[in-house]
Amino acid sequence: DSGVTQTPKHLITATGQRVTLRCSPRSGDLSVYWYQQSLDQGLQFLIQYYNGEERAKGNILERFSAQQFPDLHSELNLSSLELGDSALYFCASSVRVMGEQFFGPGTRLTVL
Amino acid sequence: AQRVTQPEKLLSVFKGAPVELKCNYSYSGSPELFWYVQYSRQRLQLLLRHISRESIKGFTADLNKGETSFHLKKPFAQEEDSAMYYCALPGSGTASKLTFGTGTRLQVTL
């Protein structure tokens, strides 16, 4: 599959814990985006990286951080987890800074 | 601030009936709007963008700047059209984030 991949598919953890979500963009795509989809907030943009550098920031909590590595994969780190962080986290990628975004299958995070 | 509004959470139509999924936006400048679709247990996919003015899977959408709308239409609904549909607006300037509407679930029944 040459599309956007995300691991893990599902993650169940407890409040106060820390998790890392991983995203591999499509081959050739330099830009990676993270979105959070929850029942009450809908799809919310979190953060964007382009070729290793942070490009745009959305409604991302201070407890959350991300980075993009030299091989262009990205990780989203969520710490001091709260029940309200339970959501589907999507990664998307695009070739350029601005352009059509291709989405991954998402990681479903459940915080108990 | 830019905003996308999809007033209907659920739209239920019979197979063969016309479909119109509503989307209104607020944006300063000339927007580029998208419709994304999410079929059951699948990832979000771009359905169409207003710039290309093309029809995908029988769906079309026209940007109406006067009414600030970008409604998605299809003359005859098919069962396989059942999905979540999201209207989206990209950021302004160099911010390429997408601002999504809350989504409308289209349910096509026999």
Side-chain angles (χ1 to χ4, degrees):
Chain A
D1 182 3
S2 58
V4 180
T5 59
Q6 290 185 247
T7 57
K9 280 189 179 178
H10 304 278
L11 199 48
I12 301 174
T13 188
T15 54
Q17 295 298 304
R18 173 190 169 94
V19 297
T20 297
L21 312 184
R22 184 188 168 100
C23 166
S24 291
R26 293 186 323 154
S27 177
D29 284 0
L30 299 178
S31 199
V32 169
Y33 312 77
W34 286 98
Y35 293 86
Q36 180 194 55
Q37 185 180 35
S38 59
L39 283 174
D40 54 342
Q41 296 289 325
L43 265 163
Q44 300 272 321
F45 168 74
L46 295 177
I47 198 163
Q48 178 201 1
Y49 279 83
Y50 177 76
N51 206 17
E53 292 189 7
E54 183 183 302
R55 189 71 189 205
K57 225 170 184 176
N59 300 322
I60 187 166
L61 300 170
E62 284 190 15
R63 299 184 286 109
F64 296 0
S65 65
Q67 53 183 326
Q68 186 179 28
F69 294 87
D71 67 352
L72 301 176
H73 91 271
S74 177
E75 291 181 357
L76 179 66
N77 300 296
L78 315 176
S79 61
S80 303
L81 285 168
E82 302 174 0
L83 295 178
D85 297 328
S86 295
L88 198 52
Y89 290 84
F90 284 107
C91 169
S93 72
S94 65
V95 174
R96 298 177 299 277
V97 171
M98 299 181 74
E100 178 180 344
Q101 296 181 24
F102 295 86
F103 283 77
T107 292
R108 183 169 295 282
L109 173 66
T110 303
V111 182
L112 301 174
Chain B
Q2 58 191 58
R3 182 178 293 175
V4 178
T5 303
Q6 292 180 254
E8 301 144 327
K9 280 191 175 180
L10 172 67
L11 182 64
S12 188
V13 302
F14 288 110
K15 179 181 173 181
V19 173
E20 184 179 56
L21 299 167
K22 291 183 167 49
C23 171
N24 289 89
Y25 66 91
S26 63
Y27 187 86
S28 55
S30 292
E32 178 186 359
L33 283 140
F34 303 91
W35 275 100
Y36 278 81
V37 60
Q38 187 175 27
Y39 299 102
S40 179
R41 300 185 182 282
Q42 293 187 27
R43 66 188 70 193
L44 274 159
Q45 309 170 35
L46 179 65
L47 180 61
L48 55 80
R49 66 181 84 185
H50 95 271
I51 281 182
S52 62
R53 301 187 65 81
E54 57 187 340
S55 171
I56 304 291
K57 299 185 179 183
F59 284 97
T60 58
D62 289 318
L63 180 63
N64 185 324
K65 290 186 179 179
E67 296 182 359
T68 59
S69 68
F70 188 54
H71 302 329
L72 184 67
K73 299 177 184 180
K74 185 169 182 177
F76 308 103
Q78 303 299 315
E79 275 185 273
E80 56 266 29
D81 296 329
S82 295
M84 279 292 291
Y85 290 82
Y86 294 93
C87 185
L89 186 64
S92 57
T94 57
S96 53
K97 66 173 187 176
L98 287 172
T99 298
F100 286 90
T102 49
T104 298
R105 179 171 297 284
L106 175 64
Q107 192 172 284
V108 180
T109 55
L110 295 175

